[in-house]
Amino acid sequence: MKSPSILCASAILLASLQPVCAEVLLQLPSDVELLTVNGQKPLSTSPVTLSDGLNQIAFRYNAQYRKQANSVRYQSDVLIIRFNETDQALQLELPNIDSAKAAKQFDESPSLTLLDKHNQVISFDQDRLVKNGLQIGRNFEQEIFQYNQGQHPASITLAAVQNQPQVSATTTAPTLQAATSAPSTAVTASAAAVTQGTAPDSPTQAEISHMLDYWYHLADDTTKAKFKAKINEQ
């Protein structure tokens, strides 16, 4: 009969021979609204656990700043980044938006930084997904699917049958192959691009808050008073 010490040593040796499942951890700022991860709804917000290789996320930057005595909510366009890393801890950094000027500057040229655990800058591809008109109830999975059908700066090629590309306790993500980049800088989602019969997603709380703030600031004093009175009745 083998001694306990030999059995213990054998178990340790077997464990050391098992393949290590490397992954990518992505830390996002608290004011980032994560919309899709590799074309699908995110399983978590931050940190996001991804498989090694090519990954893509779509998100919005929701900030707030003061303008005289008023608090102004800012929401960016949908931004897309694509990066290819292995066994890394990454952190996305965004500039501080504390004024209308800073908001306008970010709208015109979104400045993003992706850092590794050593605070070294990581290269990535960047684009934006623009939809004209009403923003509430957008189907981001459908929009990013249409985006990835084309050859755009941050597009990826997904398998015909999509597996869950985010790492979880029971599933392992496949490595996605990048599509050939094209010189376009933004894609506009149109009604024709959405598959017929696809219902829009319910608006998120961030979208509802943004629109309430937007309409409240457009209202006159009488309408604001009625709005406050209605809230107090609840």
Side-chain angles (χ1 to χ4, degrees), residues 135-177:
Q135 301 297 305
I136 293 180
R138 292 176 63 177
N139 189 326
F140 296 109
E141 290 177 87
Q142 183 64 36
E143 290 183 30
I144 202 70
F145 174 80
Q146 295 294 336
Y147 174 88
N148 284 327
Q149 298 307 296
Q151 295 182 352
H152 305 295
S155 62
I156 57 176
T157 300
L158 300 176
V161 179
Q162 289 185 336
N163 294 321
Q164 177 54 264
Q166 301 163 66
V167 174
S168 67
T170 57
T171 60
T172 303
T175 301
L176 304 176
Q177 300 300 317

Side-chain angles (χ1 to χ4, degrees), residues 41 136-140 199-205 207-208:
K41 286 185 178 180
I136 293 180
R138 292 176 63 177
N139 189 326
F140 296 109
D201 290 345
S202 298
T204 65
Q205 291 302 309
E207 289 175 327
I208 294 172

Side-chain angles (χ1 to χ4, degrees), residues 38-178:
N38 293 330
Q40 299 185 6
K41 286 185 178 180
L43 294 176
S44 60
T45 52
S46 184
V48 184
T49 305
L50 305 164
S51 63
D52 285 337
L54 192 66
N55 286 285
Q56 177 202 68
I57 67 168
F59 64 93
R60 284 189 298 209
Y61 184 10
N62 296 318
Q64 191 169 344
Y65 60 90
R66 303 291 301 182
K67 184 177 181 181
Q68 297 178 350
N70 297 321
S71 177
V72 179
R73 293 180 183 272
Y74 166 80
Q75 186 174 78
S76 73
D77 289 332
V78 177
L79 304 175
I80 308 169
I81 63 171
R82 180 186 67 183
F83 50 92
N84 195 337
E85 293 296 325
T86 300
D87 193 19
Q88 278 279 21
L90 305 178
Q91 181 170 342
L92 179 66
E93 292 191 350
L94 303 174
N96 184 37
I97 293 183
D98 54 6
S99 65
K101 180 180 179 181
K104 181 180 179 182
Q105 183 176 0
F106 188 83
D107 280 336
E108 293 175 348
S109 180
S111 176
L112 313 175
T113 304
L114 193 61
L115 302 174
D116 65 12
K117 58 186 176 182
H118 303 295
N119 274 341
Q120 298 298 310
V121 176
I122 299 296
S123 63
F124 61 93
D125 299 304
Q126 177 179 337
D127 206 355
R128 69 176 86 196
L129 185 64
V130 178
K131 179 183 178 182
N132 298 321
L134 190 65
Q135 301 297 305
I136 293 180
R138 292 176 63 177
N139 189 326
F140 296 109
E141 290 177 87
Q142 183 64 36
E143 290 183 30
I144 202 70
F145 174 80
Q146 295 294 336
Y147 174 88
N148 284 327
Q149 298 307 296
Q151 295 182 352
H152 305 295
S155 62
I156 57 176
T157 300
L158 300 176
V161 179
Q162 289 185 336
N163 294 321
Q164 177 54 264
Q166 301 163 66
V167 174
S168 67
T170 57
T171 60
T172 303
T175 301
L176 304 176
Q177 300 300 317

